[in-house]
Structures are given as structure tokens and as C-alpha cells.
Amino acid sequence: MIASIFNKTRPFNYVIIGTLLLIAFVSYSVSHQTYTGWEGVLYGSFYFIAITASCFLVNFIALKNNLSRNNNYAILLFFIFLLFFPTIFKNKNILLSNFLLLLSLRRLISLKSMKNTKEKIFDASFWIFLAALFHFWSILFIFLVFASIILHVSRDYRNWIIPGIALFSVIVLFFIFNIWSDNELLEAFFSKSFISFDFTYFENTYQNIALAVFTSIGFLFFINMILTLASKPMNMKTSYKKIIFAFILGVIVYLFSPDKNNSCLAFSIAPLAILGANFVENQENKIIKEGTLYILSLLGIFFFVAQL
């Protein structure tokens, strides 16, 4: 049933995901009193728009660049994985940082067209450095920019300089706003620029179990893509390599992040959703395809309700 509904790109699918996302966001926010008062409601609305836009960006990246066939499995899996870690709904900095990284990923994947390459490299680098202002270790995604340059336009030395120009632009903007805030931004930025391997952050058993299950699912989808990469069309292999690398970087960001919690895994969810979409659509057995989505959906609902 679920696979049958999302096996085509239908406007109704977006209504389903948008409605379910709103229910989940409001339920968690009310349960944890995340956004209270009129000001809180306004901020909550803004962050809900950011996470909704992230969902549709994942869908756009997957479909526009033929990373999945004509289906909505990627956006469905992205939503399900959000349910595994509902603390993402209240972690404002990670919400914004992840959204900016998706804007960057969109530009990097489109580099395969070899059109406006310098603009795309600048845009991608700019979004990554901007994302780092909200969550420092998301800066690691700049390696994805250099990997993309190697894969597509390494011969032109000017392409290697462009990320530096983007960095300078963000630094200028940062210090302008820092002056207005009496150096508060600078202090907050450096206070979160260290590495921490403290994994004793779990508030309840369900967070621990959700991480273990997510890790297993991530390993399955990751290995499946590695094993099937050789069978992908030649002109698509570089795009899939970027998604694989983005997933690895997302995991590393989680490992490095200070003030660690499960919401730090948000950076790995989008590439994993695309890897998962490939896994699901390649299943010829309808029972396995439906069973996979049903199991993931039930797990997502269970972990979400358990962490309310």
C-alpha cells in the first residue's frame, strides 16, 4: 500500500507528507513546550517552514538529478528518519544548518551538467560556510566541494580558488553581524568549535535504541549502494558518489559535534533517504518493497511516540 502510493510523483503525496510533518512538529513542540507564546509560535512557524523546505529539497535533488526514478520514496524516507530523532524539531541551529547544506548539495549534484560551474562552486561553498555558523562541524562538507571539483572541473585552477572567495564573503558578513551583537556571535561560534566524543547524552532508552536501529538501516542502504554502484549508468556514477560521500560526512559531523545528541544525525538523513530510495525501488519483489516501507514507518512512529 505505502509503496504503491509513493511509487509515482503525485501532488497528493506531498499533501500527505506535509500534513504528517505538521502533525509531528506540532505534537513534539507542544509535548516539550518548545515554542511558547506568540513569539514562540512565530519562531516555530519559521523553523517548520525550514524543515518542510528541507523535505522538498531532498525530493527535488533526487528527482531533478535522476538519483531516484519517478517516485517519492526519498521524501517519504526523509520524513520517516526525522521521526527516529524528533529532537531535531527543537534544535534550531541544526535545522537551519542542514537546510543550507541541502542547498549546497543541490548545486554540487548539478555540476554534472558542466554549466555555470564556477557559480555553482561558489554557491555551494557559500552555503556550507554559512551553515557552519549555525553548526560548526558542518564545515566538513567543504570536502564535498573539493571532491566535486576533482570529479568534474579539476583542470581549471580558478575553480580551486573559488571556495576561498566564498569563505572570505561569509567571514565579512559574520564580522559585520558580530559587531552589531557586541562580539556575542564570535564567542558562541568558538565555544562550539571543538571535538567531542562523549556519547553519554541519551535522555532515555528509546533514543539509544533509535540510534542503534538507524545505524543498522544506514549500514544496509550504504552497503547496497556500494555493491550496486557499478551497475549505475556511467553518467550518474559521480552523482551517486557525491551522495555516498555526503552520507559519510554527515556521520563524521555527528561524531565530531560537541553538545552531542541524536539531532546531530540530521546531516546524514538526506543522503541516506536517497540511498534508501534506491534500495526500495530496486526491489522487484513487491512484498519486500512494501514490507520494507511498512517496517520503517512503524519504527518511525514507535520511536516518535516513545520520545514525546
Side-chain angles (χ1 to χ4, degrees), residues 76-94:
L76 173 64
L77 291 174
F78 184 82
F79 168 71
I80 290 173
F81 291 145
L82 287 177
L83 296 182
F84 275 59
F85 312 120
T87 51
I88 294 173
F89 293 144
K90 68 177 181 180
N91 199 320
K92 309 171 186 66
N93 286 340
I94 285 181

Side-chain angles (χ1 to χ4, degrees), residues 126 130 133 167-179 185:
F126 182 83
L130 201 60
L133 299 182
L167 174 61
F168 178 76
S169 302
V170 173
I171 289 175
V172 171
L173 290 174
F174 174 77
F175 277 103
I176 290 174
F177 284 101
N178 183 63
I179 292 172
L185 291 180

Side-chain angles (χ1 to χ4, degrees), residues 16-82:
I16 293 174
I17 294 297
T19 302
L20 292 176
L21 185 61
L22 178 60
I23 293 172
F25 185 86
V26 172
S27 298
Y28 189 83
S29 299
V30 171
S31 175
H32 291 258
Q33 298 183 337
T34 306
Y35 307 102
T36 57
W38 284 108
E39 185 176 353
V41 171
L42 290 174
Y43 277 110
S45 300
F46 172 75
Y47 293 120
F48 174 73
I49 291 172
I51 200 166
T52 303
S54 298
C55 273
F56 286 97
L57 257 178
V58 172
N59 187 71
F60 177 84
I61 292 169
L63 295 178
K64 182 70 174 180
N65 299 285
N66 299 315
L67 291 169
S68 65
R69 297 166 196 164
N70 189 29
N71 58 62
N72 290 132
Y73 292 145
I75 190 174
L76 173 64
L77 291 174
F78 184 82
F79 168 71
I80 290 173
F81 291 145
L82 287 177

